[in-house]
Amino acid sequence: KFEPAFLSINSTRGRAIDAVVDYAWWVRRCTDAERKASGQPPVTFDAMPEVREVLDTHLDIEKEPTLTIRSLYGRHLTSFASLDWDWLRTNVDRILPPGQDDAPRFNAAWRSFVGFNQPHPLLLQALMPAYQRAVRQITAGPKTKGHPVSPEDRLAEHLMVYYWLGKLEFGAADRLLYEFYALVPDELRGHAMWFVGTSIANWRDEVPPEVFERLRNLFQGRLRAAQQAASLEMFTKELANFGYWFTSQKFEEGWSLEMLLATLQLTKKTHAEMDIVKLLAERCPRYPFECVTCLGLMVEGDQERWLLLGVEADTRHALKLALDSNHPEAVSSAKRLIENLIARGNFGFRTLLG
């Protein structure tokens, strides 16, 4: 079976609805310059009643029962908000039914919306019931198949963007973040952590410091939750993706190293291992004990013994720096790690003890 969103771009009626939206944008573009010059706002569906009539008609399930067309309303939601905010606000509950009503149509519109649209702060409050419903129904089954990125993953990405923009907060009345972290599985929370780490790696320097403060608070809260949990198995994928935060190099060195160490003490696993080893070697002159301890925990968790492939020279460099440091604990930890590596068959490290 094909997803409604896929069918919509391969059907005559689906292409017709797309054409209606394109027509509305054409009207807007043709009139924008003149209206702006005269101090008037952009045209809405009031100036193109034929567009409103088509959209209203195909929202009527008696006249348009197909999920294919309903998915298009989700895909074009941001366009509707730009073209006629009042129309969208009036019809948002018809497009994305609240509560538990009409699950098939909600899912068709929601999956298309979250898959094709970026999060937008102006839409959040209007779509808050839909976001809440989407979070609550995640536990009903596995990730949706048939998408390059699942709607569940895209939902997590939307929430992270709204959080770092300060549009969502823990402890808020909407409880959206609380329910997300309370209900969704480790894999999806891990995707949220991965998304933040890989996103901030591409940020420029003009990002306000309060954004990073919010992100630090987020991770520290997730770390506390893991430390207090009855079972760490529920947090392994989430915490392992902190590796991408560490390698982004966007956080203060001491804090990121402290968090990496705390994470490895719990799970002994992280992602972006090779890049982490290289960074640990760079930071070892400033934090010899912490860097060697992180390396030791990573080696301990490396059951497949692939960790050193490609970064053996960086590991040797970090260990040599620790041995040459004036930090007794770092020297002792480095010697223990070298002995462990030799015992695991990495005999090239014997020269460090000579």
Side-chain angles (χ1 to χ4, degrees), residues 40-53:
Q40 295 178 286
V43 296
T44 65
F45 292 162
D46 289 340
M48 33 184 153
E50 65 276 21
V51 172
R52 177 188 282 120
E53 181 181 359

Side-chain angles (χ1 to χ4, degrees), residues 235-296:
F235 292 87
T236 54
K237 293 178 181 178
E238 182 179 10
L239 293 182
N241 279 290
F242 179 75
Y244 295 104
W245 293 43
F246 184 81
T247 58
S248 74
Q249 302 187 67
K250 296 296 185 180
F251 297 96
E252 189 270 331
E253 277 189 358
W255 179 85
S256 62
L257 192 55
E258 179 187 354
M259 294 299 103
L260 178 66
L261 179 55
T263 298
L264 290 170
Q265 286 170 336
L266 290 177
T267 66
K268 297 182 175 62
K269 288 286 186 180
T270 189
H271 292 313
E273 297 97 330
M274 293 179 63
D275 290 334
I276 288 176
V277 172
K278 293 176 182 178
L279 276 176
L280 291 175
E282 290 179 15
R283 297 180 182 182
C284 201
R286 298 181 293 282
Y287 307 94
F289 175 69
E290 292 84 353
C291 289
V292 170
T293 303
C294 286
L295 277 173

Side-chain angles (χ1 to χ4, degrees), residues 81-93:
S82 299
L83 289 166
D84 195 320
W85 174 253
D86 289 336
W87 182 89
L88 175 63
R89 190 169 52 183
T90 300
N91 290 282
V92 66
D93 286 348

